[in-house]
Each structure stands twice: as structure tokens, then as C-alpha cells.
Amino acid sequence: MNIKFTKMHGLGNDFVMINAISQSVTLDTETVKCLADRNMGIGCDQLLVVEPSPVDDCDFRYRIFNSDGGEVQQCGNGARCFARFVVDEGLTDKTEIPVLTAGGRIVLTLEGNDQVTVDMGQPVLEPADIPFIADSQQTTYRHTLADQEITFSAVSMGNPHAVMLVKSVDDASVKVIGKAFQNTPIFPEQVNAGFMQIIDRSNVRLRVYERGAGETMACGTGACAAIVAGILQGLLDESVTVILPAGNLTISWAGIGSPVMMTGPVTTVFNGTIKI
Ligand SMILES: N[C@H](CCC[C@H](N)C(=O)O)C(=O)O
């Protein structure tokens, strides 16, 4: 089978984009892992698939697969790339595009100059809906992981996130603690582990150990979850710049009942065809 694809990234979080409307594509776990493999395949953090929408209030279905082959509910950096991709593929000429993901309906807005804004929907804090095992909903939780007492917030953006505050992201034990979060029963579907350094009330640095992919250069839903956690702790203002190695995301949230808005860049790297 020959598959046409486009390689894209959002601040270095990189994706293989596949248009499954204009071509017939069958993807199983092993195929996804092969395409995502940086030595044996194309290489990416996530593989993103465009499909016809099954519902009237969305234009497309947006499916997300981590490089370990697992299908997941949401991908923020990928959503921005998705907007650029469906326009470049000629699938739409709209600048505001509602799409359906396994984590819910999101709306993508092309701002021009390669910036895209995504209405990521409202964050979910109820532990059972994250899912996260806890007696009650709290702003922060404490658990022993990797022989350390870890304090974190638990937030879902359609996908699960644990957000920790650190003095310096450069010194954070991202791999050790990030891995430990994947192996604890308190997150029954595993979790994306974010390490946030607050610089001031409107600027943070962030590293994320992603579920199913390991540490990535950027994580859009991770940035959203981190800002929600910081605002709920009274540490951040409503609009925050998330400073990442390859550039910045702007995240804003007006509080409970409001959607999280994310704005950031998208980059198309190359188009290709792969025979599998
Ligand atoms: N690893 C995530 C999916 C990709 C999220 C990330 N790349 C983003 O930009 O939000 C998960 O398993 O929920």
C-alpha cells in the first residue's frame, strides 16, 4: 500500500499527517508504530488522520495516534497543524474549522502568518472523568512516585495531564518522574506529565513527558493543562505565554465554565509517499 503523507510540526512536536478522505488507508497499531519510527519509518511523535465527520456540527474527524501506536483523545499542537493541512489538501477553504476528536469537538481558526488558534474546550477536573483515582476533587494532590513526594494537579483536556510546579525545568527529573507516572494505578489510562516553571504571572516554561511518546519538544494540551492548574492555584493571570525551546504558545482561560484558547505556529516540513 502506498500512503501519501505530510510531515509537519508545532514547535518541534512533530507529526505525520494522513488524508484518509482522498486516499484509502488502513492503519493498525503496528503500521502506526512503523510510520512513527525514526529509524525504520518516517518518524514522528504522533500520527494524525483526517477522516470524514460522522456528525453534522463538525467538518472532519481528527484521529490521533501516539508513536507507540495507541489512539488517544486529543493533541493540541496537532490540531493547529490539522487546520493548515486540511486547507493545503484542498479539503476546505474555511478559516474556522470545527473538528471531532475522541476527546470532543474543538474549533480551529487560521489566523494567517502561520498562526492557528484552537478553542480546546473546557478543562475537566472531576477525577473520575480524567481518569484519576482520588477520594475527592482537589486543586493539588500528593503521591509518592519514584521514591519522591510529588505534588501535582490533575486536569483533562480530553486527554489526561498531571502538572507539577518546579523551580527550574532544566533541573527537573522529567524522564524518571514522567516514566513513574506511566506505571502508577492512580492514572488507569496513564498520563501526560507536565513540569512547569513559573517565571511571573504571565510567563512560564514547560517540559512534558508525554504518554505514549516520551518527552516532546512541545505539548499543546500539556500547555493548556498547565495554565489551568496555575490559574486554579492563583499563580497565573488569564493569558499566559508558554516559553518552549522552539518558540511560544499563548494560552488563555477565563476560569471554570470557559474554554481554554491556544494560539501558536504551524510548520509544514515536506510531503512524501511511503510504501508499506
Ligand atoms: N501524548 C498525548 C497525545 C498528544 C498530545 C500532544 N502532542 C499535544 O500537542 O497536545 C496523549 O497521549 O494524551
Side-chain angles (χ1 to χ4, degrees), residues 13 15 46 64 66 72-78 159-160 192 210-213 216 218-222:
N13 183 196
F15 310 108
Q46 280 87 30
I64 300 134
N66 282 323
V72 292
Q73 305 95 332
Q74 197 54 273
C75 177
N77 288 320
N159 59 345
N192 300 285
E210 287 198 29
R211 173 180 63 171
T216 58
C219 179
T221 51

Side-chain angles (χ1 to χ4, degrees), residues 119 121-123 228 252-261:
D119 173 340
Q122 296 183 38
V228 167
S252 57
W253 184 52
I256 300 292
S258 303
V260 183
M261 304 301 292

Side-chain angles (χ1 to χ4, degrees), residues 63 76 84 113 129 179 228:
R63 294 180 69 185
R84 175 79 270 144
N113 60 32
D129 298 333
K179 276 194 170 180
V228 167

Side-chain angles (χ1 to χ4, degrees), residues 42-211:
I42 306 163
C44 63
D45 293 326
Q46 280 87 30
L47 186 143
L48 308 181
V49 182
V50 182
E51 292 187 346
S53 171
V55 296
D56 293 339
D57 66 348
C58 290
D59 293 354
F60 303 101
R61 184 202 296 269
Y62 160 32
R63 294 180 69 185
I64 300 134
F65 299 85
N66 282 323
S67 54
D68 70 354
E71 182 166 6
V72 292
Q73 305 95 332
Q74 197 54 273
C75 177
N77 288 320
R80 300 198 311 278
C81 291
F82 187 99
R84 175 79 270 144
F85 181 61
V86 291
V87 170
D88 291 349
E89 287 286 296
L91 295 173
T92 182
D93 57 6
K94 294 165 72 172
T95 55
E96 187 168 299
I97 308 163
V99 300
L100 179 70
T101 72
R105 181 177 186 269
I106 58 174
V107 180
L108 322 176
T109 303
L110 290 126
E111 307 283 6
N113 60 32
D114 283 339
Q115 293 284 315
V116 177
T117 293
V118 184
D119 173 340
M120 294 294 294
Q122 296 183 38
V124 170
L125 304 168
E126 169 52 48
D129 298 333
I130 292 176
F132 168 56
I133 310 298
D135 298 336
S136 63
Q137 179 180 325
Q138 298 162 25
T139 304
T140 60
Y141 306 88
R142 285 181 65 79
H143 276 272
T144 301
L145 287 172
D147 300 326
Q148 299 176 51
E149 270 296 295
I150 306 285
T151 301
F152 60 91
S153 298
V155 181
S156 171
M157 292 306 302
N159 59 345
H161 291 268
V163 182
M164 292 151 278
L165 298 180
V166 294
K167 287 187 172 50
S168 161
V169 290
D170 299 319
D171 302 335
S173 305
V174 172
K175 192 165 184 177
V176 169
I177 295 173
K179 276 194 170 180
F181 264 110
Q182 308 315 311
N183 303 315
T184 169
I186 59 174
F187 284 99
E189 295 179 8
Q190 298 182 312
V191 67
N192 300 285
F195 302 76
M196 175 166 63
Q197 173 185 345
I198 293 181
I199 295 165
D200 57 40
R201 294 188 61 85
S202 55
N203 292 279
V204 305
R205 292 180 66 201
L206 180 70
R207 290 174 68 181
V208 180
Y209 185 97
E210 287 198 29
R211 173 180 63 171

Side-chain angles (χ1 to χ4, degrees), residues 227-246:
I227 300 318
V228 167
I231 290 172
L232 288 174
Q233 293 175 65
L235 303 172
L236 296 175
D237 291 339
E238 189 172 303
S239 181
V240 178
T241 299
V242 180
I243 301 163
L244 297 154

